[in-house]
Amino acid sequence: MAQFADKTNKKGNAGAAGVASALSIIRNIGIVAHIDAGKTTTTERILFYAGNSHRIGNVDDGNTVTDFMVQERERGITIQSAAISCGWKDHSINIIDTPGHVDFTMEVERSLRVLDGAVCVFCAVGGVQPQSETVWHQADRYHVPRIVFVNKMDRMGADFSKAVEEIRTKLGAVPVPMALPWGAADAFKGTIDLLEMKALVYNDSDNGSTIEVVDIPDELLDDAKLARAELVEVIAGDDEELIEEYLENPEISAEKLRPAIRRATLSGRVVPVLCGSSLKNKGVQPLLDAVVDFLPSPADRPAIEGMDPKTEEKKSRECTDPLLTALVFKIATDSFVGRLFFARVYSGVLKKGQNVYNPRTRKRERILKLVRLQADSQIEVEELGAGEIGAIVGLKGATTGDTLCAENIPIVLESITAPEPVMFMAIEPKSRADRDKLTSSLELLASEDPTCVVREDAESGQTILSGMGELHLEILVDRLRREFHVAANTGKPMVSYYETVSAQGAGKAVFDREIAGKRLFAGVAVEISPRKRGEGIAIDADSACRELSEELREAVEAGLTDGVSTGVLARYPMMDLAVKVTGVELGEPDSASPIAFRSAAVMAFREAATAATPELLEPIMRLVIVTPAEYVGEVIGDVNARRGQVRDMEERGDTKVVSAEVPLAELFGYSTVIRSLSRGRASYTMEPGEFAVAPRSVKEQLLNR
């Protein structure tokens, strides 16, 4: 990658055209999919064929390049997104391999936030699975063009046509096959290239490195001709540059089709689909060709949108703009260099030794070192240009979602929002000597992972660790032990409930006390109203607090934040409500203090929230169960017994796929139950859904415990 990046840097001052030209050879892509679809295996083959590695890593053997964490290699799953670069046909490809497990979906979210394109890997047997849908919609949110690789064509039950149809029906996309499989399961031999109308046979003796191009076998020729005709029709039908030629002669050459497919992909109109078996070393090189041919460069992406931090006016920056614009999207801790701040540069140049401005903190920070990431290793560089992804060493106050820019003309990009945790546990050091170490280690983990939330329970004094599921919490505790060498006792994982309000309410409180011989006085009045689910917390204290000093205004806001974090029913955090300060009251000039206004704000909030009909919210999980047909009755009965609702049921071969929504509180130990119900033949996946109002029985049980 370095040779290509250097070109970018050298041409960075040659004008906008030069920058755009240099950026055209860069591809920033993510490999995303449902768990066990073969993302990491596909990434390993990409690195092998690109010449980055001389051996092919295997997930089962625990020797893959991108899964370098101890926990990843032991469990055979990706936990943290890993960045790595390779070259293919004079292009530089920056790859982020992302997790497939739902507990680590934040890793996918923040990766897609900074990527230009994505490769979505689907299993040819499982098709579009729940996490596949989640990832797809995440890519939709950021308007990320993508291509699809239907993997595992060598598996029994592989069905390419069915996978393509599910992409159309379940994801609402327009899939356009670029290839067809030559055989399936044990008979999977190679792929049919629909652009060149040739068959590709992959040599097993050199791990598929050598590809023999042969004529399409007679038994597949008619299917191939039909598929190509459909491909040409879809692409040419809405392309101004091709439509006239297509009407005159439907036999359009591959050379003319490729740029048209690229245009359609970048616009989001179509999704190119390829196929193969990464494990069997078949189909990966055409996938790399498709990345170069069809996915966007940084220059193809629209200008990044943001706002002026002072005026809040909308601003945008083109990739050719010389002004610095970069986004910190991830933080990691390295045992040698300390904290690494992963950043995507959208415009301008990041340089070693440069001072950058953080609009959130309103502070300048100095860049001590810049590195490009190669999984668990780093390559130190002098600068990172527009369109590049790397890591910064030396920042102190930055956090995930912060913008780095020029101080004289600042810009704030949209931040990265983490989902609310759904599970928590109490955690404490095994000895007093570990107390400070545990606190600092948890702070580091929370700074790396926005879905890892650490708080202290005001009543019990316990430290509470929250996350996205049992596996997530298990990994966090294991990292504490192995990476930070902290021994800790943990409680049983429990569901993270939340509180909200369902009506409007008002409250007023006066704090009037004498402390240490000095009278402290403050009065605060607030109104609370509900917001739609997922809209979050909105606090408006500006208009009513104008007469207060900045210190006192901040105290009022801190008090309201305290109220939000502890709730009024069972001291659970609150969500999805609006708080507005409607009035403040000052006493004698020397009686105003931050303590008084913070305390008054908390009391006023609690009174208003109590009047606004508070409700308890519980997390609902989207559960998908794949079971043999003979056990579907028992499975559905068990779902109903867990306060669940079956939303859909479909046939998939000789199995039934049951989609349901079930409260998380009812799913502890579910893996054991589903194995027992199906004699070990059913499987399931689940992902967080919405928070819903808990039934009265659940509410009473929690309030009385």
Side-chain angles (χ1 to χ4, degrees), residues 113-139:
R113 173 73 169 79
V114 298
L115 293 170
D116 299 319
V119 175
C120 298
V121 182
F122 294 148
C123 173
V125 180
V128 176
Q129 296 172 284
Q131 185 63 7
S132 307
E133 295 185 59
T134 300
V135 168
W136 194 271
H137 297 316
Q138 287 174 315

Side-chain angles (χ1 to χ4, degrees), residues 360-376:
R360 182 185 62 82
T361 62
R362 301 176 186 177
K363 293 181 179 179
R364 292 192 301 270
E365 295 205 59
R366 189 173 181 83
I367 296 174
L368 300 181
K369 186 186 292 185
L370 291 169
V371 298
R372 287 199 185 90
L373 298 156
Q374 292 291 101
D376 60 341

Side-chain angles (χ1 to χ4, degrees), residues 235-251:
I235 298 301
D238 198 31
D239 189 283
E240 294 181 358
E241 298 185 30
L242 272 189
I243 185 65
E244 290 187 11
E245 183 172 346
Y246 171 71
L247 293 173
E248 293 179 3
N249 180 17
E251 296 295 327

